Amino acid sequence: MASGTGAGPAVVRSVGHVETQHLDLEEPLPLDCGRTLTGVRVAYETYGTLNEARDNVVLVCHALSGDAHAAGEAPAWAVEGTRDGFAAEERDGARGKTLGWWDGMIGPGKAFDTDHFFVVSTNLLGGCKGTTGPSSTDPATGRPYGSDFPVITVADMVRTQRAFLNALGIARLAAVAGGSLGGMQALEWAVTHPDQVDAVIPIASTHALAPQGMAWNAIARESILRDPDWQGGHYHGTGRAPVAGMGVARMVGHVTYLSAPALEGKFGRRLQHGDAVRYTVTEPEFEVESYLRHQADSFVRRFDANTYLYTSRALTYFDLARDHGKGDLARALEAVTARTLLIAFSSDWLYPPTASQQVHDALVANGRSSELHVIDAPYGHDCFLLEEARQTPIIRDFLDTDRLGDKNR
Amino acid sequence: MASGTGAGPAVVRSVGHVETQHLDLEEPLPLDCGRTLTGVRVAYETYGTLNEARDNVVLVCHALSGDAHAAGEAPAWAVEGTRDGFAAEERDGARGKTLGWWDGMIGPGKAFDTDHFFVVSTNLLGGCKGTTGPSSTDPATGRPYGSDFPVITVADMVRTQRAFLNALGIARLAAVAGGSLGGMQALEWAVTHPDQVDAVIPIASTHALAPQGMAWNAIARESILRDPDWQGGHYHGTGRAPVAGMGVARMVGHVTYLSAPALEGKFGRRLQHGDAVRYTVTEPEFEVESYLRHQADSFVRRFDANTYLYTSRALTYFDLARDHGKGDLARALEAVTARTLLIAFSSDWLYPPTASQQVHDALVANGRSSELHVIDAPYGHDCFLLEEARQTPIIRDFLDTDRLGDKNR
């Protein structure tokens, strides 16, 4: 991966120690639902250096359970891990430190190369990791919003990012990138702010969730709503939270993030205890059962159930064709001028390659610049977090990082 | 489909009005777990006539949520529908009457032709439709077993069927057939009673559930166990039952029984109310969301949560290779002498065709008679209930029904 200027191979390093910062938006934030949020706070991290032209900014957008801590190391006590699925275990290995959820992708010499780009990551609107969301204090009541928080959309998340970047004095984005729900935000940026985005990189994402994915999300939300400890969404301060329901929601999510062969390879039908079953309906007998329970238990300790509900609803609503094209995807994408790089994974059945193909085809039909790479990899939707090495050259090539080399140093 | 004796085309008729009967086993039933059940009652239905030689008996075995009412019409008040998924809606059409869950497969001129065969269907051990299960009265306490019911296996279900058939004076079976968990019972019969079974027909089934299917079953059970109304399994007589958790369990099951394209074709992303979303996290917005909630609500009215737990556990435990072959499937199947007909469906991702292929390959490697038919059909696991027309000629041909024609009339 030698640069075009003969600078030699890029050195892959970490962005090092980071701390999440916060910024309060001065203006009220109007929302799709018709309501307006005031006093919106945005949690964010940045990596790399903003150049003088202010044209080297890459915005990375996280998925359902992510946060602003996308790269570098934070003290474990400050940020609990937000990697999903198998990736979560990898991060567990970094004792005492918490690596960002896309640390393998963001840093010097990496896919989003902080030697060239100023990478900005925010916690999304409705989140529970520092940005205003259902667990934040409602200025009107002095108590947490709970289910009084307005129902938000992906467009509202982008609107928040736009306002946040204004406050930072950033007008244009060299790129917007993200996986899953993060990729939806990237696509929304391309459609609604075409004059402000040079490139978008939606990974393992879609223009609209397919009915099976909608069903899984509905089941996850039902599981939370049906937990009596949800208490109509006003559980803060009661000493009870819908951890049982959210645990089940998380288990459902987990299995949809992984592929059947990945589960087969990792667990098979191995028993937890010896060679014989213990004849129990209440305790895990198989490793895969124990794994799911463990993942659920660790998730409920670090995540807010209402944020799960609101974010799941937003990604289910997301529908570029309906929202921007009267049902026609090509029409919805007509305004796009950004160069587009789509990456999908062969084993991802939640955000299948066909969805990225549809976006690609519509862009090409519109005469726009689009690249689609389907990576043959076995880990399902989780690939966007795991297959960093194989995404890196594709993204560096697309962003022309090696040619940019000297320009932004 | 004219018979070999020139009798003309088979006429497809219904077995007509049926009523579920009950039989009490006289002997105690020993179980795999080491416990023994006494006073076991078996709910059953029969269709057709037992011939003098008593060699025309076909045992059909039902799946997780089924019952003994496999064919014919029962008054709707007597038996609530037990068809799954899309099939459930078809049956809703028969107002005032409830068709058996395999009515399209059992009857005069049908796949299991009651002009030739005496078809026997029992509710499985652990069930909640007349056969002894967790909601039955524990003779030791006079109260429902609840979670004191012993943990059962597929082998225990077969043991119950064996004892039941003994009471009916039936020594041999011309065939054992069933879909899903019913197919597991058929395979278990072939392995453990090789001298008593002439043929087995496992449909959309497996020798051992794959880890992803194990995960879905674990999630369904967790959802019930985490519902506070489960009350440790002793909810009978409390006026409360874990309907919230079982509803979520049912939703998970539903989605796994259907294929992604089937959901796409049936629901797409159609909204429930007009063209605009209503911005709600608690109410269904999309047709697929409303459908899932409806299916859950109707299921919880007709099914016992503990039966769900026990049956889900039994089908997860089922593992021919581990139980009978020290981990080797061909070895487990060595004892089999029955001719085997395996049917699988291309879109079934819960019990995928590869599982049937593995059984087929192991039987062939053992020099046994096995046929495998993979039917290309879009409805997922539910195909075994829906694709009756395409299974019929395969099964009739395998059972040589037309040649048998006059012999058993």
Side-chain angles (χ1 to χ4, degrees):
Chain A
M1 208 176 297
S3 80
T5 58
V11 177
V12 177
R13 303 182 304 275
S14 167
V15 300
H17 177 80
V18 292
E19 280 181 28
T20 300
Q21 305 175 70
H22 299 83
L23 184 146
D24 295 318
L25 301 182
E26 292 184 5
E27 301 290 320
L29 188 77
L31 302 171
D32 276 350
C33 67
R35 290 173 59 186
T36 298
L37 277 173
T38 56
V40 172
R41 169 166 291 192
V42 177
Y44 70 101
E45 294 188 4
T46 69
Y47 323 104
T49 308
L50 183 63
N51 66 8
E52 275 193 35
R54 295 179 172 257
D55 66 358
N56 69 332
V57 181
V58 173
L59 176 68
V60 299
C61 307
H62 68 74
L64 194 153
S65 60
D67 56 29
H69 181 46
E73 295 174 351
W77 49 263
V79 185
E80 286 190 79
T82 56
R83 286 193 170 201
D84 283 339
F86 293 167
E89 295 180 22
E90 293 193 349
R91 190 151 73 167
D92 284 349
R95 269 159 293 173
K97 295 170 184 171
T98 302
L99 283 179
W101 56 269
W102 236 6
D103 186 71
M105 297 279 276
I106 302 166
K110 296 183 182 177
F112 302 103
D113 193 333
T114 51
D115 282 342
H116 311 292
F117 293 110
F118 180 60
V119 179
V120 178
S121 168
T122 67
N123 183 214
L124 51 69
L125 181 69
C128 56
K129 300 292 180 177
T131 292
T132 297
S135 53
S136 303
T137 301
D138 180 352
T141 65
R143 295 193 304 272
Y145 284 102
S147 53
D148 293 332
F149 195 74
V151 175
I152 53 173
T153 64
V154 172
D156 293 328
M157 297 173 187
V158 168
R159 206 166 276 133
T160 308
Q161 291 158 349
R162 178 64 275 173
F164 162 79
L165 291 167
N166 287 345
L168 256 57
I170 294 169
R172 296 192 59 78
L173 293 170
V176 185
S180 195
L181 168 59
M184 292 177 174
Q185 295 163 58
L187 287 167
E188 182 76 18
W189 266 97
V191 168
T192 57
H193 299 80
D195 53 331
Q196 301 163 21
V197 186
D198 296 331
V200 291
I201 309 178
I203 303 176
S205 192
T206 182
H207 57 92
L209 201 62
Q212 195 189 57
M214 299 164 73
W216 296 127
N217 273 278
I219 293 170
R221 293 194 306 275
E222 287 280 347
S223 181
I224 294 169
L225 295 173
R226 288 165 180 242
D227 186 332
D229 287 342
W230 184 62
Q231 304 171 67
H234 295 288
Y235 49 84
H236 292 287
T238 67
R240 294 179 293 130
V243 294
M246 194 162 66
V248 172
R250 180 61 167 175
M251 292 184 199
V252 171
H254 245 295
V255 179
T256 66
Y257 302 150
L258 306 172
S259 70
L263 286 167
E264 177 76 49
K266 189 171 178 73
F267 302 107
R269 290 184 48 88
R270 279 195 304 278
L271 290 163
Q272 277 284 99
H273 304 277
D275 292 334
V277 301
R278 295 173 301 164
Y279 300 102
T280 169
V281 294
T282 55
E283 295 307 313
E285 282 272 34
F286 295 92
E287 286 186 8
V288 66
E289 296 173 351
S290 178
Y291 169 81
L292 284 175
R293 196 177 271 196
H294 169 75
Q295 289 294 335
D297 291 348
S298 73
F299 183 69
V300 299
R301 284 197 300 270
R302 70 170 170 87
F303 211 77
D304 176 60
N306 282 331
T307 284
Y308 199 102
L309 287 178
Y310 279 80
T311 312
S312 167
R313 181 41 105 196
L315 67 85
T316 301
Y317 276 156
F318 184 72
D319 190 330
L320 280 183
R322 193 194 63 213
D323 297 342
H324 299 290
K326 297 188 191 298
D328 183 80
L329 183 58
R331 183 170 174 173
L333 295 169
E334 262 175 10
V336 173
T337 56
R339 294 188 308 122
T340 303
L341 169 64
L342 298 147
I343 299 177
F345 300 92
S346 58
S347 58
D348 183 351
W349 55 288
L350 189 62
Y351 290 75
T354 48
S356 293
Q357 183 74 53
Q358 288 159 1
V359 174
H360 175 72
D361 291 347
L363 287 168
V364 170
N366 288 345
R368 297 297 185 268
S369 166
S370 175
E371 266 183 51
L372 167 62
H373 294 255
V374 179
I375 296 177
D376 191 24
Y379 304 110
H381 188 54
D382 243 11
C383 282
F384 85 87
L385 295 165
L386 291 166
E387 290 286 349
E388 295 161 333
R390 294 168 73 188
Q391 296 177 77
T392 296
I394 297 170
I395 293 170
R396 286 182 65 91
D397 189 52
F398 174 76
L399 293 176
D400 212 3
T401 308
D402 296 317
R403 192 185 59 76
L404 289 174
D406 293 347
K407 177 182 163 196
N408 294 320
R409 268 180 206 270
Chain B
M1 210 177 292
S3 82
T5 57
V11 178
V12 176
R13 303 181 305 274
S14 168
V15 300
H17 177 79
V18 293
E19 279 180 29
T20 301
Q21 304 176 70
H22 298 85
L23 184 148
D24 294 319
L25 300 182
E26 291 184 6
E27 300 290 319
L29 188 77
L31 302 172
D32 276 351
C33 67
R35 290 174 60 187
T36 298
L37 277 173
T38 56
V40 171
R41 169 167 291 191
V42 177
Y44 70 102
E45 294 188 4
T46 69
Y47 322 104
T49 307
L50 182 62
N51 64 10
E52 276 193 36
R54 296 179 171 255
D55 65 358
N56 69 331
V57 181
V58 173
L59 176 68
V60 299
C61 307
H62 69 74
L64 195 153
S65 60
D67 55 28
H69 182 44
E73 296 173 351
W77 49 262
V79 184
E80 287 189 78
T82 54
R83 286 192 169 199
D84 283 340
F86 294 168
E89 295 180 22
E90 293 193 350
R91 188 149 75 166
D92 285 348
R95 270 160 292 173
K97 295 170 183 171
T98 302
L99 283 179
W101 56 268
W102 235 6
D103 184 72
M105 298 279 275
I106 302 167
K110 296 183 181 176
F112 302 103
D113 193 334
T114 50
D115 282 343
H116 310 294
F117 293 110
F118 180 61
V119 179
V120 178
S121 167
T122 67
N123 183 212
L124 50 69
L125 182 69
C128 56
K129 300 293 181 178
T131 292
T132 297
S135 54
S136 303
T137 300
D138 180 351
T141 66
R143 294 192 305 273
Y145 284 101
S147 53
D148 292 333
F149 195 75
V151 175
I152 54 173
T153 64
V154 171
D156 293 328
M157 297 173 188
V158 168
R159 207 167 275 134
T160 308
Q161 291 158 348
R162 179 64 272 171
F164 162 78
L165 292 167
N166 287 346
L168 256 55
I170 295 169
R172 295 191 61 78
L173 294 170
V176 185
S180 194
L181 168 59
M184 292 177 174
Q185 295 163 58
L187 287 167
E188 183 75 18
W189 266 98
V191 168
T192 57
H193 299 80
D195 53 333
Q196 299 162 21
V197 185
D198 296 331
V200 292
I201 309 179
I203 303 176
S205 192
T206 182
H207 57 92
L209 202 62
Q212 193 189 56
M214 298 164 73
W216 296 127
N217 274 277
I219 292 169
R221 292 195 306 275
E222 287 280 348
S223 181
I224 294 169
L225 295 173
R226 288 165 179 241
D227 185 331
D229 286 341
W230 185 61
Q231 303 172 69
H234 295 288
Y235 49 85
H236 291 287
T238 67
R240 294 180 293 129
V243 294
M246 194 164 64
V248 172
R250 180 60 167 178
M251 291 183 199
V252 171
H254 246 295
V255 179
T256 65
Y257 302 151
L258 305 173
S259 69
L263 286 167
E264 177 76 49
K266 190 171 178 72
F267 302 108
R269 289 183 49 87
R270 279 194 304 278
L271 290 162
Q272 277 283 99
H273 303 278
D275 292 334
V277 301
R278 296 174 301 165
Y279 300 103
T280 170
V281 294
T282 55
E283 295 307 313
E285 282 273 34
F286 295 93
E287 286 186 7
V288 66
E289 296 173 352
S290 177
Y291 170 81
L292 284 175
R293 196 177 271 197
H294 169 74
Q295 290 293 335
D297 291 348
S298 72
F299 183 68
V300 298
R301 284 197 301 272
R302 70 172 171 86
F303 212 77
D304 177 60
N306 282 332
T307 284
Y308 199 103
L309 287 177
Y310 279 80
T311 312
S312 167
R313 180 43 103 196
L315 68 86
T316 302
Y317 276 156
F318 184 73
D319 190 330
L320 280 183
R322 191 193 67 212
D323 296 343
H324 300 289
K326 297 189 192 298
D328 183 80
L329 183 59
R331 183 170 175 173
L333 295 169
E334 262 175 10
V336 174
T337 56
R339 295 187 307 124
T340 303
L341 169 64
L342 298 147
I343 299 177
F345 300 92
S346 58
S347 58
D348 184 352
W349 56 287
L350 189 63
Y351 290 76
T354 48
S356 293
Q357 182 76 53
Q358 288 159 0
V359 174
H360 175 71
D361 291 348
L363 286 168
V364 170
N366 288 346
R368 296 299 185 267
S369 166
S370 176
E371 268 182 52
L372 167 62
H373 293 256
V374 179
I375 295 177
D376 190 24
Y379 305 111
H381 188 54
D382 242 13
C383 282
F384 86 87
L385 294 166
L386 290 165
E387 291 285 351
E388 295 161 333
R390 295 167 73 187
Q391 297 177 75
T392 297
I394 297 169
I395 293 169
R396 286 182 66 91
D397 189 52
F398 174 76
L399 292 176
D400 213 2
T401 307
D402 296 316
R403 193 185 59 74
L404 290 175
D406 293 349
K407 178 182 161 196
N408 294 320
R409 271 182 203 267

